[in-house]
Amino acid sequence: MQKVGYFKSIHVKIVLIYVLLIVIAMQIIGLYFVRELEQKLKDNFQTSIRDRVSILEYSAREELIKIRNEEDQTKEQSLRSILYGLNSYDIKEVRVIDARYQILATSDTNNQKIVGQRSMDDLVRKSISAADDFDSISLDEETNRIWKLATPIIYKGEVIGTLYIESNIENIFGQMNEINQILAGGTAVALVITVILGILIAQTITRPIADMRKQAQAMAKGNFSRKVRVYGSDEIGQLAITFNHLTNRLQEAQSTTEAERRKLASVLTNMTDGVIATDRKGRVILINDPALRMLRIPREMVLNRPIISVLGIDPEHSFEDLIHLKEAINLDLSSNERPFILRANFSVIQKETGFVNGLIAVLHDNTEQEKVDMERREFVANVSHELRTPLTTMSSYLEALADGAWKDEEIAPSFLQVTQTETHRMIRLVNDLLQLSKMDSRDYDLNREIVNFNQFFNRIIDRFELSKSENVTFVRRLSDNAYYVDIDTDKLTQVMDNIISNAIKYSPDGGNIRFGVVAADSILKVMISDDGMGIPSENVDRIFDRFYRVDRARARSMGGTGLGLAIAREMIEAHGGRIWAESEEGHGTTIFFTLDILTDEEGEWD
């Protein structure tokens, strides 16, 4: 997690907000206090001046209305004596002006030259004309603030003059500057104390929060052992207790989830069926190893790909189709080497509200089942076909005999001969089927005995040589060594009878049938070869299937049931051996099978 910057931390923010609130409060209080104090001092100063002016106004009025004798002082002298000594720290100058704007006297001893001159001051003119007080504040040459006041001298309702006073009000503003400095110093001290208290208070809030942040980071990494320290029982303390409780619950939930995940992983890993899970958009998010083996693709090529493309069904189906699909579908992944069919069942993952979260696909290898079903269908069809032909023939001939052909001494015997032949053919077919059924159900026992295989093989060949056609030649390539094998002689005789009978059937006139035996690594390999028409390469591996014939018409005409080699394969495999064929079309066929020998002797045939 990214580290929080110092100036972005909540600790600094709380202190800054706290200090800012104090500053704003101090400024508001200071502005209000200074303004009110300044106004109060100004009012007190002006009241004090006005009180003194009112006494002076009375004295000046008396002098202005006084009737004088020759021995009395002049009006100017009297007024000068009244104004004498009025100049002080706060009063700078006082002037007495008559109604004609003539300056009668001034208290400023250095400015007596203005006496007798007309006053041009606006305050004086306004005061005389309006019979009211007028004042203003202005700066003098030394940039001191001067409060000027013009108050009229009224006698019997008539303005007979005015008093003009200039007072030094700069002292008031000087006092206000001192007060502002004191207030600023107090504010600074208060801010320092506020910052210290703010840091301490902020720590009481941010310390638990910092602990919770560290715990959350530890929880994100899977560490649930750490606990948040509880500093008190207030809201933050309650939050810390709740956070610790949440940690315990999360630890329990993670343990449960991890256990379920391991169970699910174990189930998915050990399942024989393949499992694929998708998200709500149909992209693969999970696939187990059996599914990868079935699809024969690496994991990195599957994840985050659409499931329809992974299964190869994108031309026929969309993801929405799979969501609404009720039945399983077959996936044909067969190759030229082997068949491979998968059966896919789909299940939708959705919430209680019906919102689709994804899809689960279960893949099952259905190759063997399909193969069994196909073989069953072929078996039923072949048995039906094999039985229908002789039954149809017998039915036709028996109908002919029933219609009177039995009376014809030339035709009746041949008809009976045909029905007898077809009857024997059906008996052989039924016997072969019963034998195959017993072998499939393992309902048989091998009566094993140890025999010299060369002697056993020669006896079988001798028996066929007595009844074979003169146009077929037997060629024996047997070793003089004695190879002893543990076999059921009856069943192995049946195997060799089937193979040799087929070789004689399919050998042309003048052809050879070769017999050979070779031993290697305690394995006896037996060969029976003919010069017949051969088998196409694509059909060689199928000649041991039940009812399979390369040339059906010719094989049926020769009386074959199509089960001889199938029975031979079952019996050889029951002896623990293996049987196979090698053939080239037009150049004959060779049947090989193997048996375990009981000696270490080896032989060769050429």
Side-chain angles (χ1 to χ4, degrees), residues 338-342 364-372:
R338 66 185 183 97
F340 191 54
I341 299 174
L342 297 178
H364 177 70
D365 186 355
N366 211 38
T367 306
E368 291 299 325
Q369 183 64 38
E370 288 291 326
K371 184 178 180 181
V372 168

Side-chain angles (χ1 to χ4, degrees), residues 380-401 415 418-427 429-430 433 556:
V380 172
N382 289 331
V383 169
S384 300
H385 183 72
E386 294 294 336
L387 290 175
R388 182 178 60 187
T389 301
L391 287 173
T392 302
T393 303
M394 291 173 61
S395 176
S396 299
Y397 279 83
L398 290 173
E399 286 180 1
L401 290 173
F415 280 14
V418 169
T419 56
Q420 187 178 17
T421 301
E422 295 299 330
T423 302
H424 290 160
R425 179 180 170 187
M426 287 191 295
I427 291 172
L429 176 62
V430 172
L433 289 173
R556 187 174 289 110

Side-chain angles (χ1 to χ4, degrees), residues 469-487:
S469 171
E470 295 181 358
N471 296 324
V472 177
T473 303
F474 282 4
V475 179
R476 306 189 193 198
R477 297 176 178 176
L478 306 180
S479 173
D480 294 332
N481 297 328
Y483 299 115
Y484 291 93
V485 293
D486 186 10
I487 59 174

Side-chain angles (χ1 to χ4, degrees), residues 574-594:
H575 282 81
R578 186 170 67 92
I579 187 169
W580 72 95
E582 294 180 1
S583 179
E584 182 179 354
E585 193 171 7
H587 295 82
T589 301
T590 302
I591 303 295
F592 296 93
F593 66 87
T594 61

Side-chain angles (χ1 to χ4, degrees), residues 31 87 110-111 145 158 170 190 272 311 346 390 424 552 605:
L31 289 174
N87 286 8
N110 297 323
N111 198 23
R145 293 179 180 86
E158 181 181 352
E170 183 66 28
T272 57
L311 299 180
F346 299 95
H424 290 160
R552 292 183 178 272
W605 52 270

